[in-house]
Amino acid sequence: MAAAARPGTGAEELALLEKLLGLPKGNKYGVQGERKVPVLQTNNGPGLTGLMTIAAHLVKQAKKDQLLGSTAEEKAVVQQWLEYRVTRVDGGSSKEDVRIILKDLNIHLEDKVYLAGNIFTLADILMYYGLHHVMGSGRRAQERYTSEGRLSTEQGKIK
């Protein structure tokens, strides 16, 4: 099994995001294919496929569009980090991949509060969900990866 990605976690992440956003339960999530791509079965038409697509849909449903960025530049940066999450974090398969990803994030976050600068976004949430299992829960892991550790404190502050 991959070190950076656990098959099938996309559906669980979406259920967590749904709860975090304050949406009522009831969405039916599944997965498709070998890579376990998340799928949302909708009542109003065809299902939605893919972590980023479904997550953005949930954010809009919750009327928390600020999590997608406010300006064109912020929206582009959020999209960039969502793509990084799906291509690099979910695609990582070795301890070396994980080390490189965490190093990239720490370098990027050296002079920023969040991935998109000074605003907490969907990119921060999904990056946290994607890396949480790799980070470990011990104090040593939290100290080593301080930039990512601060993301967990923001989850309770979404309004």
Side-chain angles (χ1 to χ4, degrees):
M1 183 177 299
R6 297 176 304 175
T9 60
E12 289 92 7
E13 289 178 46
L14 291 167
L16 287 170
L17 178 62
E18 182 180 72
K19 182 178 178 182
L20 180 68
L21 295 171
L23 290 169
K25 291 182 182 180
N27 282 323
K28 292 185 172 55
Y29 302 104
V31 293
Q32 73 179 21
E34 239 180 77
R35 296 209 52 199
K36 309 278 188 202
V37 177
V39 177
L40 169 63
Q41 303 302 320
T42 63
N43 296 329
N44 305 341
L48 300 175
T49 304
L51 181 66
M52 292 181 347
T53 301
I54 298 168
H57 170 74
L58 293 176
V59 166
K60 290 178 181 186
Q61 245 187 347
K63 296 180 176 31
K64 298 187 188 285
D65 288 7
Q66 74 275 10
L67 289 175
L68 300 173
S70 301
T71 66
E73 184 178 327
E74 285 175 359
K75 289 176 183 180
V77 171
V78 170
Q79 185 67 29
Q80 168 189 305
W81 283 105
L82 291 173
E83 288 177 20
Y84 184 93
R85 160 59 208 273
V86 171
T87 59
R88 294 292 311 273
V89 175
D90 292 354
S93 60
S94 69
K95 288 183 179 185
E96 180 63 13
D97 290 338
V98 172
R99 189 191 67 73
I100 291 168
I101 289 165
L102 293 175
K103 184 177 177 185
D104 287 350
L105 286 169
N106 274 329
I107 289 168
H108 178 76
L109 291 169
E110 278 180 349
D111 62 346
K112 293 166 195 64
V113 180
Y114 304 108
L115 293 172
N118 292 319
I119 61 162
F120 184 68
T121 67
L122 181 60
D124 297 293
I125 296 167
L126 291 185
M127 192 67 73
Y128 173 79
Y129 287 165
L131 292 173
H132 186 270
H133 68 281
V134 203
M135 300 289 294
S137 58
R139 180 177 173 93
R140 189 174 191 184
Q142 290 172 359
E143 289 172 355
R144 184 168 181 199
Y145 304 114
T146 55
S147 297
E148 193 64 23
R150 71 174 171 237
L151 296 179
S152 63
T153 63
E154 292 304 317
Q155 290 196 11
K157 297 180 184 177
I158 296 177
K159 295 179 183 166

